[in-house]
Amino acid sequence: MKISVSSYSFQQYIGTGRMSHFDTIRKAQEMGFEAIEFLDMPRPTYEEQLAYAADLRAEADACGMTINAYTIGACLYQDTPERNAAEVERLKRQVDIAAVLGCSVMRHDACYSLGSTGNARSFGLMLPTIAANIRAVTEYAATKGIRTAVEPRLCGTGQLSRRAAVQCGSARQFRTAGGCR
């Protein structure tokens, strides 16, 4: 087991320009951490995100650090089948970024913006779509040797993620974040 820190812990410094993501790797090592987690890649295009991820990985390798996880925002329930498919494909591209980072885990939200967009339906009606989309991302991630962890964003109790894990049928691969197992 490695002791890790999230780059989010340095967000106030990153946000004000006092630190870069590369600085967080060095600072984490200096503080005695063995691994670091990164959040969404701060670049506008997928190609730039891939290149940035490769640069972060090179810096981590040079410092003897592991990038153990990559965390991204997601909403795996959309109001049309086309939007659902697009979100699943976007997450699969993020799995590719996690692979470039050398992560063994990619954590993502189940339905981060649900409710704020006006597309929320009853939980029972949304669950089959959410579970199918989680399954698609999880199965793709498995081909890259990456496990997924789902952040229970729809209900603070974690009920969404637990029920979705059962529904998606990939409980060995699927884990929920925030202590919900």
Side-chain angles (χ1 to χ4, degrees):
M1 179 169 43
K2 294 185 177 189
I3 304 298
S4 178
V5 65
S6 174
S7 62
Y8 186 76
S9 298
F10 302 100
Q11 191 55 44
Q12 286 185 334
Y13 289 98
I14 294 168
T16 60
R18 292 167 48 197
M19 287 182 88
S20 71
H21 286 96
F22 299 96
D23 295 331
T24 66
I25 295 169
R26 292 185 290 273
K27 181 54 102 176
Q29 180 198 37
E30 178 185 310
M31 295 171 77
F33 292 101
E34 302 166 281
I36 190 166
E37 169 192 37
F38 282 101
L39 284 67
D40 300 287
M41 288 292 105
R43 296 294 179 262
T45 68
Y46 174 66
E47 292 75 20
E48 289 173 300
Q49 290 172 0
L50 281 173
Y52 194 72
D55 291 344
L56 286 173
R57 170 84 183 268
E59 181 66 23
D61 288 347
C63 292
M65 294 281 288
T66 299
I67 301 174
N68 63 334
Y70 178 50
T71 299
I72 60 164
C75 188
L76 289 167
Y77 182 84
Q78 301 289 324
D79 56 357
T80 67
E82 296 79 18
R83 288 184 180 171
N84 276 310
E87 182 68 347
V88 167
E89 289 307 309
R90 184 185 73 80
L91 264 66
K92 288 179 179 180
R93 289 190 308 271
Q94 295 300 304
V95 167
D96 295 336
I97 290 170
V100 170
L101 287 168
C103 300
S104 60
V105 174
M106 185 181 88
R107 183 166 55 109
H108 62 83
D109 300 314
C111 298
Y112 181 73
S113 61
L114 194 62
S116 64
T117 61
N119 66 350
R121 306 289 182 259
S122 78
F123 181 73
L125 291 175
M126 293 184 303
L127 182 59
T129 299
I130 294 166
N133 290 341
I134 289 171
R135 184 183 313 110
V137 173
T138 298
E139 289 173 354
Y140 180 77
T143 69
K144 306 281 185 178
I146 296 172
R147 291 175 293 132
T148 60
V150 177
E151 185 74 31
R153 292 280 187 189
L154 183 58
C155 32
T157 63
Q159 179 180 353
L160 167 70
S161 294
R162 283 192 293 274
R163 287 180 63 188
V166 171
Q167 180 105 10
C168 80
S170 56
R172 272 195 198 118
Q173 186 69 12
F174 179 96
R175 298 286 184 266
T176 58
C180 303
R181 299 239 189 268

